[in-house]
Amino acid sequence: MGPTLFRYIFRDLIRIFLLTSGVLAGIMSFGGLLRPLTQQGLDLGQVGQILSYFMPAMTTYSLPIAALFATTLVYGRLGADNETLAARAAGISHLALALPAFVMGVLVALLSLLLLCFVVPQLMLQAERVVFSNVARIVATAIDRTHQIQIEQGAERITVFARDAQVLPADPQRPGDQAVQLISPTIVTFDPQPRTGSDPSRPVRVPRDFWMAQRATAYITQDPDSEDVLMTAILEGGTKFPRSQAGGIQGGVGLTQFGPIPFPSLVRENTKFMDITRLLHLLKEPGESRRVRSVLREFIRDEQRQVFYRQVVQELEASEFILAGESESYTLQAPGVSFTTDAGELIISSPPGQRTIRLVQDRDGRTVLTVEARRLRMTALPDATRKQLYVTMELLDAIVRAGNDEPTPRSAFPRAVSVPMPPELLALEERDAAFYASNARSMPEQQRSLRRALVVLSNGILSETHARASFAVSCFILVMVGCALGMMFRSGNFLSAFAVSVVPALICIALIVTGQHTCENVPRDLSKHENPLNLGLTLIWSGNAAVAILAAVLLGRLQRQ
């Protein structure tokens, strides 16, 4: 083939390819915008930002179909105008005529691989961050749509119901925090361990405590590095009662604070948001994965709770336990009590008929509050990022004396304090995933979760790298299929050729996506089921293998004509 004919065909291929790619990218960008626009309530500025990130990313995903359409259209027109027949009469074979398509296929495959490995992951990550940048707006939108939001952190689950919600302007006293006001909120906490109901295959989450108020202000703090979220709710006219007393008298507690509640970043850790260098690094160092760190954090947090509770028990059995905050301190005395732990709480119970639990609150060297109770529920929440330990104490069936006031009976009386995390708890942060995954003393359920998280991460990385490579290779193979079908349809109805060629293209892309989902669908218990990695990788490449065979058959048939 001479350079003139090559340039003639190649110029048409590039022109139609670029036009088709731009149109498809625009359609796909607006299609991808519909879900966050309807579910997260984006403003106009966020829409513009997301479109600026979506367009280049969607252009990459449109490359195979655009290249397929361009080759089918150009070579179909060559056949309809008898230019293919004239080239054959001049001694130019079909394979020689396919040289421009071959060159374009190689260029498109290399471009696709480059974009998928380095550019597209960063663009999709930035778009995701824009969508979830305003957590308060997301909470308000969820309340407006469904009147509830669910927060899950490991085994913990919290559901917040509200009649209405609105985003509040920034509070000068809490710079950097987002705020949303909840109208008539009800907060439900659940037992960490599901209970087996009538259907053993569907365990039931049982509510533990109910918190109700006329209104509440939820302050949301987002860590700039990890993007984890900490939410604290300030309730007005609050009431709390446990599920076991739901049929009896509710305990009004005048609650002022619920939380803080930690939950992971709304920006998911997704292998699609990682460039190839990050993927390969995580494959070697899985402990740096946010997913693995989240499971590991649950391990460490539970162990920190246990160590803290043991310290509380030891000091109470010796004499007294003191919690010293920034401006106040609490002294706890509990002679002759019994200790139990349940659902991450330390429960201290007085002997029957007695109030031996005594809590004294001191501020600036003077006693401001004294509480005597029959029972105390203590919950500790370690926060390694801020090196703080949040301790919540709920005294049940209590007598409260504030200063020189008369004693007041209270069915429930909560106190919350933040103290610096003790050094022995901070030292536990040094343990890595390998320690807990191989430590026989670890908790079996969480150890199983950690091992599964490591397998899920490895499978996700391998499936993503293979899928990107397979997607890029499909660009070249589909170009050759389109070229062959275009020259075979000599009736001028080359759009029919494109319609026929779209079928293997869709099958190829569908198998890549199916293979990725198969790799990532890791069973809960790997000791009883096989890792689906090999099956998933086979599916990812099977579509390209089938289409490559089809392209070879079609080009061989053309060459024999």
Side-chain angles (χ1 to χ4, degrees), residues 226-228 265 267-269 288-294:
S226 65
E227 296 181 339
D228 289 347
S265 169
V267 180
R268 302 163 297 159
E269 183 185 61
E288 297 185 15
S289 163
R290 189 194 303 169
R291 185 198 304 265
V292 174
R293 288 204 312 267
S294 176

Side-chain angles (χ1 to χ4, degrees), residues 108-188:
V108 172
L110 292 176
L111 177 63
S112 175
L113 187 62
L114 178 66
L115 293 175
L116 287 172
C117 287
F118 297 101
V119 179
V120 172
Q122 294 299 323
L123 294 175
M124 297 302 291
L125 177 59
Q126 293 301 325
E128 191 87 350
R129 283 174 173 167
V130 171
V131 171
F132 295 108
S133 59
N134 194 334
V135 182
R137 180 180 292 275
I138 294 173
V139 171
T141 302
I143 294 296
D144 288 340
R145 288 170 53 87
T146 64
H147 300 287
Q148 66 170 311
I149 57 171
Q150 290 187 353
I151 301 171
E152 294 195 24
Q153 174 68 9
E156 298 289 339
R157 174 182 291 182
I158 298 170
T159 302
V160 180
F161 300 92
R163 179 168 55 84
D164 196 7
Q166 59 180 353
V167 179
L168 299 178
D171 188 346
Q173 297 182 354
R174 305 179 71 120
D177 286 3
Q178 302 175 25
V180 57
Q181 188 176 71
L182 307 176
I183 309 300
S184 301
T186 299
I187 304 174
V188 184

Side-chain angles (χ1 to χ4, degrees), residues 12 19 26 75 148 201 215 225 287 333 352 479 487-488 497 527 539 543 545:
D12 278 356
L19 180 62
Y75 282 93
Q148 66 170 311
S201 64
R215 65 181 66 243
D225 297 324
Q333 298 173 337
V479 162
M487 287 189 285
M488 291 178 65
S527 62
L539 290 173

Side-chain angles (χ1 to χ4, degrees), residues 4-20 66-67 69-75 77-78 81 83 100-101 104:
T4 302
L5 182 58
F6 179 89
R7 288 195 300 269
Y8 171 71
I9 298 176
F10 190 73
R11 184 176 62 249
D12 278 356
L13 286 173
I14 294 298
R15 179 172 55 84
I16 297 176
F17 166 73
L18 293 177
L19 180 62
T20 306
F69 180 78
T71 51
T72 305
L73 186 65
V74 169
Y75 282 93
R77 185 183 59 79
L78 289 176
D81 295 343
E83 292 177 290
M104 190 185 77

Side-chain angles (χ1 to χ4, degrees), residues 29 147 176 209 219 303 351 453 526:
S29 297
H147 300 287
D209 294 314
Y219 292 98
E303 190 164 2
L526 287 169

Side-chain angles (χ1 to χ4, degrees), residues 34-97:
L34 287 178
R35 183 176 179 181
L37 185 62
T38 55
Q39 292 188 356
Q40 272 76 42
L42 306 178
D43 56 36
L44 188 59
Q46 288 177 307
V47 170
Q49 284 183 290
I50 292 176
L51 282 178
S52 68
Y53 294 129
F54 269 8
M55 280 297 291
M58 294 300 110
T59 299
T60 303
Y61 292 123
S62 70
L63 293 182
I65 302 299
L68 176 64
F69 180 78
T71 51
T72 305
L73 186 65
V74 169
Y75 282 93
R77 185 183 59 79
L78 289 176
D81 295 343
N82 293 323
E83 292 177 290
T84 304
L85 184 61
R88 291 285 293 154
I92 302 175
S93 66
H94 286 100
L95 289 181
L97 280 176

Side-chain angles (χ1 to χ4, degrees), residues 349-356 373-374 397:
S349 302
S350 301
Q354 301 182 38
R355 287 190 180 90
T356 58
R374 297 184 188 274
D397 194 3

Side-chain angles (χ1 to χ4, degrees), residues 458-479:
S458 175
N459 285 15
I461 293 174
L462 292 174
S463 67
E464 183 65 23
T465 52
H466 280 265
R468 293 179 188 182
S470 180
F471 191 86
V473 170
S474 70
C475 295
F476 171 75
I477 298 176
L478 291 175
V479 162

